[in-house]
Coordinates of all heavy atoms in Angstrom, one line a residue:
M1 N 8.8 14.6 -25.1 CA 7.9 13.4 -24.9 C 6.8 13.4 -25.9 O 6.3 14.5 -26.2 CB 7.4 13.4 -23.4 CG 6.5 12.3 -23.2 SD 6.1 12.0 -21.4 CE 5.6 13.5 -20.8
R2 N 6.4 12.2 -26.3 CA 5.4 12.1 -27.3 C 4.4 11.0 -26.9 O 4.8 9.9 -26.5 CB 6.0 11.7 -28.7 CG 5.0 11.7 -29.8 CD 5.6 11.3 -31.1 NE 5.8 9.9 -31.1 CZ 6.5 9.2 -32.0 NH1 7.0 9.9 -33.0 NH2 6.6 7.9 -32.0
V3 N 3.1 11.3 -26.8 CA 2.1 10.4 -26.5 C 1.8 9.5 -27.7 O 1.5 10.1 -28.8 CB 0.8 11.1 -26.0 CG1 -0.3 10.1 -25.8 CG2 1.1 11.9 -24.7
E4 N 1.9 8.2 -27.6 CA 1.7 7.3 -28.7 C 0.3 6.7 -28.6 O -0.2 6.3 -29.7 CB 2.8 6.3 -28.8 CG 4.1 6.9 -29.2 CD 5.2 5.9 -29.5 OE1 4.8 4.8 -29.8 OE2 6.4 6.3 -29.5
S5 N -0.2 6.5 -27.4 CA -1.5 5.9 -27.3 C -2.0 6.2 -25.9 O -1.2 6.5 -25.0 CB -1.4 4.4 -27.5 OG -0.7 3.7 -26.5
V6 N -3.3 6.0 -25.7 CA -3.9 6.2 -24.4 C -4.9 5.0 -24.1 O -5.6 4.5 -25.0 CB -4.7 7.5 -24.4 CG1 -5.5 7.7 -23.1 CG2 -3.8 8.7 -24.7
G7 N -4.9 4.6 -22.9 CA -5.8 3.5 -22.5 C -5.4 2.1 -22.9 O -6.2 1.2 -22.8
E8 N -4.2 1.9 -23.3 CA -3.7 0.6 -23.7 C -2.9 0.0 -22.6 O -2.3 0.7 -21.8 CB -2.9 0.6 -25.0 CG -3.8 1.0 -26.2 CD -3.0 1.0 -27.5 OE1 -2.0 0.2 -27.5 OE2 -3.3 1.7 -28.4
R9 N -2.8 -1.3 -22.5 CA -2.0 -2.1 -21.6 C -0.5 -1.8 -22.0 O -0.2 -1.8 -23.1 CB -2.3 -3.6 -21.6 CG -1.5 -4.4 -20.6 CD -1.8 -5.8 -20.7 NE -3.1 -6.1 -21.3 CZ -3.8 -7.1 -21.0 NH1 -3.3 -8.1 -20.2 NH2 -5.0 -7.3 -21.5
V10 N 0.3 -1.6 -20.9 CA 1.7 -1.5 -21.1 C 2.5 -2.4 -20.2 O 1.9 -2.9 -19.2 CB 2.2 0.0 -20.8 CG1 1.6 1.0 -21.8 CG2 2.0 0.4 -19.4
T11 N 3.7 -2.7 -20.6 CA 4.6 -3.6 -19.8 C 5.8 -2.7 -19.3 O 6.4 -2.1 -20.2 CB 5.0 -4.8 -20.5 OG1 3.9 -5.5 -20.9 CG2 5.9 -5.7 -19.7
F12 N 6.0 -2.7 -18.0 CA 7.1 -1.9 -17.5 C 7.9 -2.8 -16.6 O 7.5 -3.3 -15.6 CB 6.6 -0.7 -16.7 CG 7.6 0.2 -16.1 CD1 8.3 1.1 -16.9 CD2 7.9 0.1 -14.8 CE1 9.3 1.9 -16.4 CE2 8.9 1.0 -14.2 CZ 9.6 1.8 -15.1
H13 N 9.2 -3.1 -17.0 CA 10.1 -4.0 -16.3 C 9.4 -5.4 -16.1 O 9.5 -5.9 -15.0 CB 10.6 -3.4 -15.0 CG 11.6 -2.3 -15.2 ND1 12.9 -2.6 -15.4 CD2 11.4 -1.0 -15.3 CE1 13.5 -1.4 -15.6 NE2 12.7 -0.5 -15.5
G14 N 8.6 -5.9 -17.0 CA 8.0 -7.2 -16.9 C 6.6 -7.2 -16.2 O 6.0 -8.2 -16.1
I15 N 6.2 -6.0 -15.8 CA 4.9 -5.9 -15.1 C 3.9 -5.3 -16.0 O 4.1 -4.2 -16.6 CB 5.0 -5.0 -13.8 CG1 6.1 -5.5 -12.9 CG2 3.7 -4.9 -13.1 CD1 5.9 -6.9 -12.3
E16 N 2.7 -6.0 -16.2 CA 1.7 -5.5 -17.0 C 0.8 -4.5 -16.3 O 0.4 -4.8 -15.1 CB 0.8 -6.6 -17.6 CG 1.5 -7.4 -18.6 CD 0.6 -8.4 -19.3 OE1 -0.6 -8.4 -19.1 OE2 1.1 -9.1 -20.2
I17 N 0.6 -3.4 -16.9 CA -0.3 -2.3 -16.3 C -1.4 -2.0 -17.3 O -1.2 -1.7 -18.4 CB 0.5 -1.0 -16.0 CG1 1.7 -1.3 -15.1 CG2 -0.4 0.0 -15.4 CD1 2.8 -0.2 -15.0
S18 N -2.6 -2.2 -16.8 CA -3.8 -1.9 -17.6 C -4.5 -0.6 -17.3 O -4.3 -0.1 -16.2 CB -4.8 -3.1 -17.5 OG -4.3 -4.3 -17.9
D19 N -5.2 -0.1 -18.2 CA -6.0 1.1 -18.0 C -6.9 0.9 -16.8 O -7.6 -0.1 -16.7 CB -6.8 1.5 -19.2 CG -7.5 2.8 -19.1 OD1 -6.9 3.7 -18.6 OD2 -8.6 2.9 -19.7
G20 N -6.8 1.8 -15.8 CA -7.7 1.7 -14.6 C -7.0 1.1 -13.4 O -7.5 1.2 -12.3
D21 N -5.8 0.5 -13.6 CA -5.0 0.0 -12.5 C -4.5 1.1 -11.6 O -4.3 2.2 -12.0 CB -3.8 -0.9 -13.0 CG -4.2 -2.2 -13.6 OD1 -5.4 -2.6 -13.5 OD2 -3.3 -2.8 -14.1
L22 N -4.4 0.8 -10.3 CA -3.9 1.7 -9.4 C -2.4 1.6 -9.3 O -1.8 0.5 -9.1 CB -4.5 1.5 -8.0 CG -4.1 2.3 -6.8 CD1 -4.6 3.8 -7.1 CD2 -4.7 1.8 -5.5
L23 N -1.7 2.7 -9.4 CA -0.2 2.7 -9.2 C 0.2 3.5 -8.0 O -0.3 4.6 -7.8 CB 0.4 3.4 -10.5 CG 0.2 2.8 -11.8 CD1 0.9 3.6 -12.9 CD2 0.7 1.4 -11.8
A24 N 1.1 3.0 -7.2 CA 1.7 3.7 -6.1 C 3.2 3.7 -6.3 O 3.8 2.7 -6.4 CB 1.4 3.0 -4.8
I25 N 3.7 4.9 -6.4 CA 5.1 5.1 -6.8 C 5.8 6.1 -5.8 O 5.2 7.1 -5.5 CB 5.3 5.6 -8.2 CG1 4.6 4.7 -9.2 CG2 6.7 5.8 -8.6 CD1 4.4 5.3 -10.6
D26 N 6.9 5.6 -5.3 CA 7.7 6.5 -4.4 C 9.2 6.2 -4.6 O 9.6 5.5 -5.5 CB 7.3 6.4 -2.9 CG 7.6 5.1 -2.3 OD1 8.3 4.2 -2.9 OD2 7.0 4.8 -1.2
D27 N 10.0 6.8 -3.7 CA 11.5 6.6 -3.8 C 11.9 5.1 -3.7 O 13.0 4.8 -4.1 CB 12.2 7.4 -2.8 CG 12.1 8.9 -3.1 OD1 11.8 9.3 -4.3 OD2 12.3 9.7 -2.2
D28 N 11.1 4.3 -3.0 CA 11.4 2.9 -2.8 C 11.0 2.0 -3.9 O 11.4 0.8 -4.0 CB 10.8 2.4 -1.5 CG 11.4 3.1 -0.3 OD1 12.6 3.4 -0.3 OD2 10.6 3.4 0.6
G29 N 10.1 2.4 -4.8 CA 9.7 1.6 -5.9 C 8.3 1.8 -6.3 O 7.7 2.9 -6.1
M30 N 7.7 0.8 -7.0 CA 6.3 1.0 -7.6 C 5.5 -0.3 -7.2 O 6.0 -1.4 -7.3 CB 6.5 1.1 -9.1 CG 5.2 1.2 -9.8 SD 5.4 1.4 -11.6 CE 5.7 -0.2 -12.1
A31 N 4.2 -0.1 -6.9 CA 3.3 -1.2 -6.8 C 2.1 -0.9 -7.7 O 1.7 0.2 -7.9 CB 2.8 -1.2 -5.3
V32 N 1.7 -2.0 -8.3 CA 0.6 -2.0 -9.3 C -0.5 -2.8 -8.7 O -0.3 -4.0 -8.3 CB 1.0 -2.6 -10.7 CG1 -0.2 -2.5 -11.6 CG2 2.1 -1.8 -11.2
V33 N -1.7 -2.2 -8.5 CA -2.9 -2.9 -8.0 C -3.9 -3.0 -9.1 O -4.4 -2.0 -9.6 CB -3.5 -2.2 -6.8 CG1 -4.7 -2.9 -6.3 CG2 -2.5 -2.0 -5.7
P34 N -4.2 -4.2 -9.6 CA -5.2 -4.4 -10.7 C -6.5 -3.8 -10.2 O -6.9 -3.9 -9.0 CB -5.3 -5.9 -10.9 CG -4.0 -6.4 -10.4 CD -3.6 -5.5 -9.2
Q35 N -7.2 -3.2 -11.1 CA -8.5 -2.5 -10.8 C -9.4 -3.4 -10.1 O -10.1 -3.0 -9.2 CB -9.1 -1.9 -12.1 CG -10.3 -1.0 -11.9 CD -10.8 -0.4 -13.1 OE1 -10.6 -0.9 -14.2 NE2 -11.4 0.7 -13.0
A36 N -9.4 -4.7 -10.4 CA -10.4 -5.6 -9.8 C -10.1 -5.8 -8.3 O -11.0 -6.2 -7.6 CB -10.2 -7.0 -10.5
H37 N -8.9 -5.5 -7.8 CA -8.6 -5.6 -6.4 C -8.4 -4.3 -5.7 O -8.0 -4.3 -4.5 CB -7.3 -6.4 -6.3 CG -7.4 -7.8 -6.9 ND1 -8.0 -8.8 -6.3 CD2 -6.9 -8.3 -8.1 CE1 -8.0 -9.9 -7.1 NE2 -7.3 -9.6 -8.1
E38 N -8.7 -3.2 -6.4 CA -8.4 -1.9 -5.8 C -9.1 -1.6 -4.5 O -8.5 -1.2 -3.5 CB -8.8 -0.8 -6.8 CG -8.5 0.6 -6.3 CD -8.9 1.6 -7.4 OE1 -9.0 1.3 -8.6 OE2 -9.2 2.8 -7.0
Q39 N -10.4 -1.9 -4.4 CA -11.2 -1.6 -3.2 C -10.7 -2.4 -2.0 O -10.6 -1.9 -0.9 CB -12.7 -1.8 -3.4 CG -13.3 -0.7 -4.3 CD -12.9 0.7 -3.9 OE1 -13.1 1.1 -2.7 NE2 -12.4 1.5 -4.8
E40 N -10.4 -3.7 -2.2 CA -9.9 -4.6 -1.2 C -8.5 -4.1 -0.7 O -8.3 -4.0 0.5 CB -9.7 -6.0 -1.7 CG -9.1 -6.9 -0.7 CD -8.9 -8.3 -1.3 OE1 -9.0 -8.5 -2.5 OE2 -8.5 -9.2 -0.5
V41 N -7.6 -3.7 -1.6 CA -6.3 -3.2 -1.2 C -6.4 -1.9 -0.4 O -5.7 -1.7 0.6 CB -5.4 -3.1 -2.4 CG1 -4.1 -2.4 -2.1 CG2 -5.1 -4.5 -3.0
L42 N -7.2 -1.0 -0.9 CA -7.4 0.3 -0.2 C -8.0 0.1 1.1 O -7.6 0.8 2.1 CB -8.2 1.2 -1.1 CG -7.6 1.8 -2.4 CD1 -8.5 2.6 -3.2 CD2 -6.3 2.5 -2.1
S43 N -8.9 -0.8 1.3 CA -9.5 -1.1 2.6 C -8.4 -1.6 3.6 O -8.3 -1.2 4.7 CB -10.6 -2.0 2.5 OG -11.2 -2.4 3.7
L44 N -7.6 -2.6 3.1 CA -6.6 -3.1 3.9 C -5.5 -2.1 4.3 O -5.0 -2.0 5.4 CB -5.9 -4.3 3.2 CG -6.8 -5.5 3.1 CD1 -6.1 -6.5 2.1 CD2 -7.0 -6.2 4.4
A45 N -5.2 -1.2 3.3 CA -4.2 -0.1 3.6 C -4.8 0.9 4.7 O -4.0 1.3 5.5 CB -3.9 0.6 2.3
R46 N -6.1 1.2 4.6 CA -6.7 2.1 5.6 C -6.6 1.4 7.0 O -6.3 2.1 8.0 CB -8.1 2.4 5.2 CG -8.2 3.4 4.1 CD -9.7 3.9 3.9 NE -9.8 4.4 2.6 CZ -10.3 3.8 1.5 NH1 -10.7 2.5 1.6 NH2 -10.3 4.3 0.3
E47 N -6.9 0.1 7.1 CA -6.9 -0.6 8.3 C -5.5 -0.6 8.9 O -5.3 -0.3 10.1 CB -7.3 -2.0 8.1 CG -8.8 -2.2 7.9 CD -9.2 -3.6 7.6 OE1 -8.4 -4.6 8.0 OE2 -10.3 -3.9 7.0
R48 N -4.5 -0.8 8.1 CA -3.1 -0.8 8.5 C -2.7 0.6 9.0 O -2.0 0.7 10.0 CB -2.2 -1.2 7.4 CG -0.7 -1.2 7.6 CD -0.3 -2.3 8.7 NE 1.1 -2.2 9.0 CZ 1.9 -3.2 9.0 NH1 1.4 -4.4 8.8 NH2 3.2 -3.1 9.3
A49 N -3.1 1.7 8.3 CA -2.7 3.0 8.7 C -3.3 3.4 10.0 O -2.7 4.0 10.9 CB -3.1 4.0 7.6
T50 N -4.6 2.9 10.2 CA -5.2 3.2 11.5 C -4.5 2.5 12.6 O -4.3 3.0 13.7 CB -6.7 2.7 11.5 OG1 -7.4 3.5 10.5 CG2 -7.4 2.9 12.8
A51 N -4.2 1.2 12.4 CA -3.4 0.4 13.4 C -2.1 1.1 13.7 O -1.7 1.1 14.9 CB -3.3 -1.0 13.0
E52 N -1.4 1.5 12.7 CA -0.1 2.1 12.9 C -0.2 3.4 13.7 O 0.6 3.7 14.6 CB 0.6 2.4 11.6 CG 1.1 1.1 10.9 CD 1.8 1.4 9.6 OE1 1.7 2.5 9.0 OE2 2.3 0.4 9.0
S53 N -1.3 4.2 13.5 CA -1.6 5.4 14.3 C -1.8 5.0 15.8 O -1.3 5.7 16.7 CB -2.8 6.1 13.8 OG -2.5 6.7 12.5
D54 N -2.6 3.9 16.0 CA -2.8 3.5 17.3 C -1.5 3.0 18.0 O -1.3 3.3 19.2 CB -3.8 2.3 17.3 CG -5.2 2.7 16.9 OD1 -5.5 3.9 16.9 OD2 -6.0 1.8 16.5
V55 N -0.7 2.3 17.3 CA 0.6 1.9 17.8 C 1.4 3.1 18.2 O 2.0 3.2 19.3 CB 1.4 1.1 16.8 CG1 2.9 0.9 17.1 CG2 0.8 -0.3 16.6
L56 N 1.5 4.1 17.4 CA 2.3 5.3 17.7 C 1.7 6.0 18.9 O 2.5 6.4 19.8 CB 2.3 6.3 16.5 CG 3.1 7.6 16.7 CD1 4.5 7.3 17.1 CD2 2.9 8.5 15.5
A57 N 0.4 6.1 19.0 CA -0.2 6.8 20.2 C 0.1 6.0 21.5 O 0.5 6.6 22.5 CB -1.7 6.9 20.0
D58 N 0.1 4.7 21.4 CA 0.4 3.9 22.6 C 1.8 4.0 23.0 O 2.2 4.2 24.2 CB 0.1 2.4 22.4 CG -1.4 2.1 22.3 OD1 -2.2 3.1 22.6 OD2 -1.8 1.0 22.0
L59 N 2.7 4.0 22.0 CA 4.2 4.2 22.3 C 4.4 5.6 22.9 O 5.2 5.7 23.9 CB 5.0 4.0 21.1 CG 5.1 2.5 20.6 CD1 5.8 2.5 19.2 CD2 5.8 1.6 21.6
L60 N 3.8 6.6 22.3 CA 4.0 8.0 22.9 C 3.4 8.1 24.2 O 3.9 9.0 25.0 CB 3.4 9.0 21.9 CG 4.1 9.1 20.6 CD1 3.4 10.1 19.6 CD2 5.6 9.7 20.8
A61 N 2.4 7.3 24.6 CA 1.8 7.3 25.9 C 2.6 6.6 26.9 O 2.3 6.5 28.1 CB 0.4 6.8 25.8
G62 N 3.7 5.9 26.5 CA 4.6 5.3 27.4 C 4.6 3.8 27.4 O 5.3 3.1 28.2
E63 N 3.8 3.2 26.6 CA 3.7 1.7 26.5 C 5.0 1.1 26.0 O 5.7 1.8 25.3 CB 2.6 1.3 25.6 CG 1.2 1.7 26.1 CD 0.3 0.5 26.3 OE1 0.7 -0.6 26.3 OE2 -0.9 0.8 26.4
T64 N 5.3 -0.1 26.4 CA 6.6 -0.7 26.0 C 6.4 -1.3 24.6 O 5.3 -1.6 24.1 CB 7.0 -1.8 26.9 OG1 6.0 -2.9 26.9 CG2 7.1 -1.3 28.3
L65 N 7.5 -1.5 23.9 CA 7.5 -2.1 22.6 C 6.9 -3.5 22.6 O 6.1 -3.8 21.8 CB 8.9 -2.2 22.0 CG 9.5 -0.9 21.4 CD1 10.9 -1.2 21.0 CD2 8.7 -0.4 20.2
S66 N 7.2 -4.2 23.7 CA 6.7 -5.6 23.7 C 5.2 -5.6 23.9 O 4.5 -6.5 23.4 CB 7.4 -6.4 24.8 OG 7.2 -5.8 26.1
S67 N 4.7 -4.7 24.8 CA 3.2 -4.7 25.0 C 2.5 -4.3 23.7 O 1.4 -4.8 23.4 CB 2.8 -3.9 26.2 OG 3.1 -2.5 25.9
V68 N 3.0 -3.3 23.0 CA 2.4 -2.8 21.8 C 2.5 -3.9 20.7 O 1.5 -4.2 20.0 CB 3.1 -1.5 21.3 CG1 2.6 -1.2 19.9 CG2 2.8 -0.4 22.3
W69 N 3.6 -4.6 20.7 CA 3.7 -5.7 19.7 C 2.7 -6.8 20.0 O 2.1 -7.4 19.1 CB 5.1 -6.3 19.7 CG 5.3 -7.5 18.9 CD1 5.4 -8.8 19.3 CD2 5.3 -7.6 17.4 NE1 5.4 -9.7 18.2 CE2 5.4 -8.9 17.1 CE3 5.2 -6.6 16.5 CZ2 5.4 -9.4 15.8 CZ3 5.2 -7.1 15.1 CH2 5.3 -8.4 14.8
E70 N 2.6 -7.2 21.3 CA 1.6 -8.2 21.6 C 0.2 -7.9 21.3 O -0.6 -8.7 20.9 CB 1.7 -8.5 23.1 CG 2.9 -9.3 23.5 CD 3.0 -10.7 22.8 OE1 2.0 -11.4 22.7 OE2 4.1 -11.0 22.4
R71 N -0.2 -6.6 21.4 CA -1.5 -6.1 21.1 C -1.8 -6.0 19.6 O -2.8 -6.5 19.1 CB -1.8 -4.8 21.7 CG -3.2 -4.3 21.6 CD -3.5 -3.0 22.3 NE -3.0 -3.0 23.7 CZ -2.1 -2.2 24.2 NH1 -1.6 -1.2 23.5 NH2 -1.8 -2.4 25.5
Y72 N -0.9 -5.5 18.8 CA -1.1 -5.2 17.4 C -0.4 -6.1 16.4 O -0.8 -6.2 15.3 CB -0.7 -3.7 17.1 CG -1.5 -2.7 17.9 CD1 -1.0 -2.1 19.0 CD2 -2.8 -2.4 17.5 CE1 -1.7 -1.1 19.7 CE2 -3.5 -1.4 18.2 CZ -2.9 -0.8 19.3 OH -3.6 0.1 20.1
R73 N 0.7 -6.6 16.9 CA 1.6 -7.4 16.0 C 2.2 -6.6 14.8 O 2.5 -7.2 13.8 CB 0.9 -8.7 15.4 CG 0.6 -9.7 16.5 CD 1.8 -10.4 16.9 NE 1.5 -11.5 17.8 CZ 2.3 -12.0 18.7 NH1 3.5 -11.4 18.8 NH2 2.0 -13.0 19.5
I74 N 2.3 -5.3 15.0 CA 3.0 -4.4 14.1 C 3.7 -3.4 14.9 O 3.3 -3.1 16.0 CB 2.0 -3.8 13.0 CG1 1.0 -2.9 13.8 CG2 1.4 -4.7 12.1 CD1 0.1 -2.1 12.8
L75 N 4.7 -2.8 14.3 CA 5.4 -1.7 14.9 C 5.7 -0.6 13.9 O 5.6 -0.8 12.7 CB 6.8 -2.2 15.5 CG 6.7 -3.1 16.7 CD1 8.1 -3.5 17.1 CD2 6.1 -2.3 17.9

């Protein structure tokens, strides 16, 4: 592998990625969050993770899927 440049915008499968953008990559794919939206996206992701933890706790405590769905609207 050879480094040709650092800190420049690149295009990967039609998606532009700029220096400072947030990348999330796993077996299912890749998400690019522009730096200008990073804090908002991370805040929403934390809220979602907290809600999903609450959902799991309620289900493990014996709540029904329908009651958990009505409360959180996520499963």
